[in-house]
Amino acid sequence: MMFLEKGDLHFVLDVLAGLGKLYVPAESNGITRFVPYGGEKTQVWLQTNTAISPKEILFPATETLYRYETGRGKETVKPVADHHAPLILFGIRSCDLQAITCLDDVFLDGEFVDELYRERRETATIIALSCAKAGPHCFCQSMGLDPLAHRQSDLQMYDYDQYYGLEANSDRGRLLLETLEKHDLLSVSGRENPVPALEFALEVETEGITEKLTGMFEHPLWEEVASKCLNCGICTYLCPACHCFDISEKLDNAHCGSKIRCWDSCMFSGYTRMAGGHNPRPGKRERVRERFMHKLCYFPQRYGKYLCTGCGRCLAKCPVGLEITKIMELVKEVENDA
Amino acid sequence: MPEVAAFSGQRLAGVDDVRRINPLVPVQAQITRAITETHDTKTLYVVGLDGKVPFSLNPGQVAMLSLLGVGEGMFSGVDAGDHLEFSIKKVGALTGALHEVEPGQIVGLRGPYGNGFPLEFCRGKNLLFVAGGIGLAPLRSLVRFCIKHRSDFGGIHLVYGARTPGDLAFKGEIAGEWVAVEDFAISLTVDQGDRDWQHHVGFVPNLLRELKPAPDNTVCLVCGPPAMIKNSIVVLEELGFAAEEVLTTLEMRMKCGIGQCGRCNIGSCYVCLDGPVFRLADLKRYSSEY
């Protein structure tokens, strides 16, 4: 393990910014999210995880798929030429990195590869940061994660009192360490104090939940829990792992426009409403069920992991307290006679 | 800056040099014919800009058809060898615009998507087609395949219903070609007949109950409005059809067609990727959410 004095962090960020497009957690306009590093004026935020997840860097809330021109007998389609500088994502927490692995499953791992996501993802170097404490809504440990480290990072940073301990998990991570060493920013001596296990205020039992949910599609529980949902969709917009999107048109004028993709939400009635009016998920019961089933049952069945990483953002921001942790507890408690 | 070069070099080493085409970007295709099937249904013939079939579609497979500036939608198609056919009912903005399309006009096309019908599973068996309204469009690809390879299949029975005689699609093809095919029974019904109507009157599930098609060595293929599918399934089970022998082809709202945008799932399956053809046995395991 190599060590970095916390006081030298801004030198490290300056070096990283020279290697690619560097994103750091920061406070920006009163909200914490990942922003392009802009030197000293960037108010780096490392106390807790950010309010908005880093998902938007790899999978933007809105992006252009292609541009087109029509009319006067000609039609042209121009895919967006997008040559990215290599991305460096600094300070990603275990929960958000786990969510990135979920996005990888969806966008990279099948018969069809999403090229826009791939271009960003394959150039991204991920520098993970261990959590110093668990927030009031955090439950990553219950979802099977280690809040101190995630093996799919390129470089793992451990938060020790005055130092960060650095460990490379990939060639890219090792190259970063070498680069930082050349700048005399690292030392081999430091204190590798064992970090005490984090105290979680929130714990939930997930054992067997996918199997139990498999038989609970028609359970009255969904009607009950859905009644207070406002279908506002904040849970899905803040979720670091929710990947659903819409594709629509943006017209510049009668002849030119773009095809755009933007995040969508299973909480909205228009999400599944078909031309002609039929909607397979017409009410709150169906939509709320879909969200929890997707995260805890369907996604695990398809990809072998939960689509919830315990980051707690949906718990923190749900206006009616419809918390996935409570749903998991309810699912565990109820009789399943379906 | 040498560091940047080293870092970029590292990056490029792992990246496929060939820039693949984004699967969400359509290819351009051309309409060569537009046939009016009913007052609200048209069949469009589509070829590539080179005049050839853009890609082949197995019976039951689907493709995304789009009009720039209007939208994109998933339709089941028929591969007619030198062109693709899409039969489209006018139900919204995109389908409305597609009904205005004239021969020579350019459309966007991407595919083929979906699993298609299990041809091997059907081979050697009797086939019972149960269709409602525009639901005959996806089944038509398999009907045509069976006609082309007639000796590979047993007896064929089509039970087809629509709201009124004017809503029955493919009337010309049914009366002209299909009735002439050996061992091909056709039962037509409408919810409401008119003075000239000489076939059955009533809903498809009721007609099934009346006709009592035998389940022996028979695969049943059902497609139509969700209510028709669900009610027909009830009758088919009463008649002794096993859930393994009943197939349906579903439609859902779709945006990507490649299992990523999320909305067309039935349980952990995506209709676009794992469907649109499902066995009743599988649907029972997932959910009835269609």
Side-chain angles (χ1 to χ4, degrees), chain A residues 129-150:
Chain A
L129 174 62
S130 69
C131 288
K133 65 175 199 301
H137 303 292
C138 291
F139 60 101
C140 71
Q141 210 162 32
S142 298
M143 301 312 291
L145 302 182
D146 177 359
L148 301 182
H150 196 297

PDB file of all heavy atoms in Angstrom, chain A residues 129-150:
ATOM      1  N   LEU A 129     -13.276   5.405  -3.055  1.00  0.00           N
ATOM      2  CA  LEU A 129     -12.909   5.934  -1.740  1.00  0.00           C
ATOM      3  C   LEU A 129     -13.721   5.206  -0.672  1.00  0.00           C
ATOM      4  O   LEU A 129     -14.945   5.088  -0.783  1.00  0.00           O
ATOM      5  CB  LEU A 129     -13.201   7.443  -1.706  1.00  0.00           C
ATOM      6  CG  LEU A 129     -13.016   8.159  -0.371  1.00  0.00           C
ATOM      7  CD1 LEU A 129     -11.564   8.083   0.107  1.00  0.00           C
ATOM      8  CD2 LEU A 129     -13.451   9.615  -0.490  1.00  0.00           C
ATOM      9  N   SER A 130     -13.016   4.751   0.358  1.00  0.00           N
ATOM     10  CA  SER A 130     -13.721   4.055   1.438  1.00  0.00           C
ATOM     11  C   SER A 130     -14.573   5.038   2.216  1.00  0.00           C
ATOM     12  O   SER A 130     -14.275   6.237   2.274  1.00  0.00           O
ATOM     13  CB  SER A 130     -12.715   3.400   2.381  1.00  0.00           C
ATOM     14  OG  SER A 130     -12.014   4.396   3.098  1.00  0.00           O
ATOM     15  N   CYS A 131     -15.643   4.545   2.805  1.00  0.00           N
ATOM     16  CA  CYS A 131     -16.487   5.415   3.621  1.00  0.00           C
ATOM     17  C   CYS A 131     -15.947   5.452   5.046  1.00  0.00           C
ATOM     18  O   CYS A 131     -15.549   4.426   5.600  1.00  0.00           O
ATOM     19  CB  CYS A 131     -17.920   4.898   3.628  1.00  0.00           C
ATOM     20  SG  CYS A 131     -18.748   5.163   2.049  1.00  0.00           S
ATOM     21  N   ALA A 132     -15.942   6.653   5.653  1.00  0.00           N
ATOM     22  CA  ALA A 132     -15.451   6.796   7.023  1.00  0.00           C
ATOM     23  C   ALA A 132     -16.567   6.493   8.022  1.00  0.00           C
ATOM     24  O   ALA A 132     -16.325   6.032   9.127  1.00  0.00           O
ATOM     25  CB  ALA A 132     -14.912   8.205   7.237  1.00  0.00           C
ATOM     26  N   LYS A 133     -17.799   6.792   7.591  1.00  0.00           N
ATOM     27  CA  LYS A 133     -18.920   6.414   8.456  1.00  0.00           C
ATOM     28  C   LYS A 133     -20.170   6.164   7.601  1.00  0.00           C
ATOM     29  O   LYS A 133     -20.240   6.621   6.464  1.00  0.00           O
ATOM     30  CB  LYS A 133     -19.182   7.489   9.520  1.00  0.00           C
ATOM     31  CG  LYS A 133     -19.640   8.840   8.991  1.00  0.00           C
ATOM     32  CD  LYS A 133     -19.951   9.709  10.208  1.00  0.00           C
ATOM     33  CE  LYS A 133     -20.820  10.901   9.956  1.00  0.00           C
ATOM     34  NZ  LYS A 133     -20.496  11.920   9.051  1.00  0.00           N
ATOM     35  N   ALA A 134     -21.087   5.408   8.210  1.00  0.00           N
ATOM     36  CA  ALA A 134     -22.330   5.118   7.492  1.00  0.00           C
ATOM     37  C   ALA A 134     -23.337   6.212   7.777  1.00  0.00           C
ATOM     38  O   ALA A 134     -23.546   6.592   8.927  1.00  0.00           O
ATOM     39  CB  ALA A 134     -22.879   3.761   7.924  1.00  0.00           C
ATOM     40  N   GLY A 135     -23.957   6.728   6.737  1.00  0.00           N
ATOM     41  CA  GLY A 135     -24.979   7.756   6.914  1.00  0.00           C
ATOM     42  C   GLY A 135     -26.267   7.144   7.452  1.00  0.00           C
ATOM     43  O   GLY A 135     -26.404   5.920   7.506  1.00  0.00           O
ATOM     44  N   PRO A 136     -27.211   8.001   7.852  1.00  0.00           N
ATOM     45  CA  PRO A 136     -28.454   7.490   8.449  1.00  0.00           C
ATOM     46  C   PRO A 136     -29.292   6.626   7.496  1.00  0.00           C
ATOM     47  O   PRO A 136     -30.094   5.814   7.942  1.00  0.00           O
ATOM     48  CB  PRO A 136     -29.207   8.765   8.842  1.00  0.00           C
ATOM     49  CG  PRO A 136     -28.590   9.863   8.040  1.00  0.00           C
ATOM     50  CD  PRO A 136     -27.171   9.466   7.813  1.00  0.00           C
ATOM     51  N   HIS A 137     -29.093   6.799   6.179  1.00  0.00           N
ATOM     52  CA  HIS A 137     -29.888   6.027   5.227  1.00  0.00           C
ATOM     53  C   HIS A 137     -29.085   4.931   4.535  1.00  0.00           C
ATOM     54  O   HIS A 137     -29.581   4.276   3.632  1.00  0.00           O
ATOM     55  CB  HIS A 137     -30.492   6.965   4.176  1.00  0.00           C
ATOM     56  CG  HIS A 137     -31.331   8.053   4.763  1.00  0.00           C
ATOM     57  ND1 HIS A 137     -32.526   7.811   5.376  1.00  0.00           N
ATOM     58  CD2 HIS A 137     -31.115   9.392   4.862  1.00  0.00           C
ATOM     59  CE1 HIS A 137     -33.037   8.951   5.820  1.00  0.00           C
ATOM     60  NE2 HIS A 137     -32.188   9.925   5.522  1.00  0.00           N
ATOM     61  N   CYS A 138     -27.805   4.809   4.924  1.00  0.00           N
ATOM     62  CA  CYS A 138     -26.936   3.836   4.246  1.00  0.00           C
ATOM     63  C   CYS A 138     -27.250   2.408   4.680  1.00  0.00           C
ATOM     64  O   CYS A 138     -27.439   2.148   5.869  1.00  0.00           O
ATOM     65  CB  CYS A 138     -25.475   4.127   4.587  1.00  0.00           C
ATOM     66  SG  CYS A 138     -24.853   5.642   3.865  1.00  0.00           S
ATOM     67  N   PHE A 139     -27.288   1.494   3.731  1.00  0.00           N
ATOM     68  CA  PHE A 139     -27.431   0.067   4.087  1.00  0.00           C
ATOM     69  C   PHE A 139     -26.706  -0.831   3.083  1.00  0.00           C
ATOM     70  O   PHE A 139     -27.121  -1.955   2.822  1.00  0.00           O
ATOM     71  CB  PHE A 139     -28.909  -0.324   4.234  1.00  0.00           C
ATOM     72  CG  PHE A 139     -29.744  -0.132   2.990  1.00  0.00           C
ATOM     73  CD1 PHE A 139     -30.076  -1.213   2.169  1.00  0.00           C
ATOM     74  CD2 PHE A 139     -30.212   1.125   2.644  1.00  0.00           C
ATOM     75  CE1 PHE A 139     -30.854  -1.048   1.033  1.00  0.00           C
ATOM     76  CE2 PHE A 139     -30.994   1.308   1.498  1.00  0.00           C
ATOM     77  CZ  PHE A 139     -31.318   0.212   0.698  1.00  0.00           C
ATOM     78  N   CYS A 140     -25.583  -0.344   2.549  1.00  0.00           N
ATOM     79  CA  CYS A 140     -24.852  -1.101   1.528  1.00  0.00           C
ATOM     80  C   CYS A 140     -24.408  -2.467   2.051  1.00  0.00           C
ATOM     81  O   CYS A 140     -24.402  -3.449   1.317  1.00  0.00           O
ATOM     82  CB  CYS A 140     -23.660  -0.306   1.006  1.00  0.00           C
ATOM     83  SG  CYS A 140     -22.309  -0.131   2.183  1.00  0.00           S
ATOM     84  N   GLN A 141     -24.052  -2.497   3.344  1.00  0.00           N
ATOM     85  CA  GLN A 141     -23.561  -3.740   3.914  1.00  0.00           C
ATOM     86  C   GLN A 141     -24.644  -4.833   3.855  1.00  0.00           C
ATOM     87  O   GLN A 141     -24.352  -5.985   3.577  1.00  0.00           O
ATOM     88  CB  GLN A 141     -23.158  -3.494   5.364  1.00  0.00           C
ATOM     89  CG  GLN A 141     -22.047  -4.383   5.817  1.00  0.00           C
ATOM     90  CD  GLN A 141     -21.381  -3.846   7.078  1.00  0.00           C
ATOM     91  OE1 GLN A 141     -22.016  -3.220   7.933  1.00  0.00           O
ATOM     92  NE2 GLN A 141     -20.096  -4.093   7.190  1.00  0.00           N
ATOM     93  N   SER A 142     -25.882  -4.406   4.086  1.00  0.00           N
ATOM     94  CA  SER A 142     -26.993  -5.363   4.016  1.00  0.00           C
ATOM     95  C   SER A 142     -27.153  -5.903   2.600  1.00  0.00           C
ATOM     96  O   SER A 142     -27.679  -6.996   2.403  1.00  0.00           O
ATOM     97  CB  SER A 142     -28.304  -4.697   4.449  1.00  0.00           C
ATOM     98  OG  SER A 142     -28.225  -4.265   5.781  1.00  0.00           O
ATOM     99  N   MET A 143     -26.733  -5.107   1.603  1.00  0.00           N
ATOM    100  CA  MET A 143     -26.861  -5.541   0.218  1.00  0.00           C
ATOM    101  C   MET A 143     -25.621  -6.315  -0.229  1.00  0.00           C
ATOM    102  O   MET A 143     -25.419  -6.555  -1.412  1.00  0.00           O
ATOM    103  CB  MET A 143     -27.097  -4.353  -0.713  1.00  0.00           C
ATOM    104  CG  MET A 143     -28.345  -3.518  -0.397  1.00  0.00           C
ATOM    105  SD  MET A 143     -29.854  -4.468  -0.127  1.00  0.00           S
ATOM    106  CE  MET A 143     -30.188  -5.102  -1.763  1.00  0.00           C
ATOM    107  N   GLY A 144     -24.790  -6.657   0.741  1.00  0.00           N
ATOM    108  CA  GLY A 144     -23.648  -7.519   0.442  1.00  0.00           C
ATOM    109  C   GLY A 144     -22.390  -6.781   0.024  1.00  0.00           C
ATOM    110  O   GLY A 144     -21.463  -7.389  -0.518  1.00  0.00           O
ATOM    111  N   LEU A 145     -22.332  -5.476   0.252  1.00  0.00           N
ATOM    112  CA  LEU A 145     -21.151  -4.717  -0.169  1.00  0.00           C
ATOM    113  C   LEU A 145     -20.245  -4.399   1.015  1.00  0.00           C
ATOM    114  O   LEU A 145     -20.677  -4.417   2.168  1.00  0.00           O
ATOM    115  CB  LEU A 145     -21.583  -3.403  -0.837  1.00  0.00           C
ATOM    116  CG  LEU A 145     -22.481  -3.526  -2.056  1.00  0.00           C
ATOM    117  CD1 LEU A 145     -22.775  -2.150  -2.619  1.00  0.00           C
ATOM    118  CD2 LEU A 145     -21.827  -4.394  -3.118  1.00  0.00           C
ATOM    119  N   ASP A 146     -19.011  -4.072   0.699  1.00  0.00           N
ATOM    120  CA  ASP A 146     -18.050  -3.635   1.689  1.00  0.00           C
ATOM    121  C   ASP A 146     -17.888  -2.127   1.521  1.00  0.00           C
ATOM    122  O   ASP A 146     -17.384  -1.678   0.492  1.00  0.00           O
ATOM    123  CB  ASP A 146     -16.707  -4.350   1.442  1.00  0.00           C
ATOM    124  CG  ASP A 146     -15.621  -3.877   2.393  1.00  0.00           C
ATOM    125  OD1 ASP A 146     -15.903  -2.987   3.236  1.00  0.00           O
ATOM    126  OD2 ASP A 146     -14.492  -4.395   2.285  1.00  0.00           O
ATOM    127  N   PRO A 147     -18.301  -1.353   2.509  1.00  0.00           N
ATOM    128  CA  PRO A 147     -18.214   0.109   2.358  1.00  0.00           C
ATOM    129  C   PRO A 147     -16.775   0.624   2.328  1.00  0.00           C
ATOM    130  O   PRO A 147     -16.543   1.786   1.985  1.00  0.00           O
ATOM    131  CB  PRO A 147     -18.955   0.640   3.592  1.00  0.00           C
ATOM    132  CG  PRO A 147     -18.916  -0.472   4.581  1.00  0.00           C
ATOM    133  CD  PRO A 147     -18.913  -1.745   3.794  1.00  0.00           C
ATOM    134  N   LEU A 148     -15.825  -0.239   2.640  1.00  0.00           N
ATOM    135  CA  LEU A 148     -14.430   0.205   2.666  1.00  0.00           C
ATOM    136  C   LEU A 148     -13.721  -0.030   1.340  1.00  0.00           C
ATOM    137  O   LEU A 148     -12.702   0.611   1.056  1.00  0.00           O
ATOM    138  CB  LEU A 148     -13.661  -0.524   3.780  1.00  0.00           C
ATOM    139  CG  LEU A 148     -14.211  -0.315   5.200  1.00  0.00           C
ATOM    140  CD1 LEU A 148     -13.336  -1.043   6.205  1.00  0.00           C
ATOM    141  CD2 LEU A 148     -14.306   1.163   5.535  1.00  0.00           C
ATOM    142  N   ALA A 149     -14.206  -0.937   0.532  1.00  0.00           N
ATOM    143  CA  ALA A 149     -13.484  -1.221  -0.710  1.00  0.00           C
ATOM    144  C   ALA A 149     -14.386  -1.922  -1.713  1.00  0.00           C
ATOM    145  O   ALA A 149     -15.318  -2.631  -1.332  1.00  0.00           O
ATOM    146  CB  ALA A 149     -12.273  -2.116  -0.411  1.00  0.00           C
ATOM    147  N   HIS A 150     -14.094  -1.693  -2.979  1.00  0.00           N
ATOM    148  CA  HIS A 150     -14.799  -2.403  -4.050  1.00  0.00           C
ATOM    149  C   HIS A 150     -13.760  -2.875  -5.054  1.00  0.00           C
ATOM    150  O   HIS A 150     -12.996  -2.074  -5.586  1.00  0.00           O
ATOM    151  CB  HIS A 150     -15.825  -1.488  -4.722  1.00  0.00           C
ATOM    152  CG  HIS A 150     -16.832  -2.244  -5.537  1.00  0.00           C
ATOM    153  ND1 HIS A 150     -16.485  -2.986  -6.631  1.00  0.00           N
ATOM    154  CD2 HIS A 150     -18.175  -2.380  -5.382  1.00  0.00           C
ATOM    155  CE1 HIS A 150     -17.581  -3.555  -7.137  1.00  0.00           C
ATOM    156  NE2 HIS A 150     -18.615  -3.205  -6.401  1.00  0.00           N
TER     157      HIS A 150
END
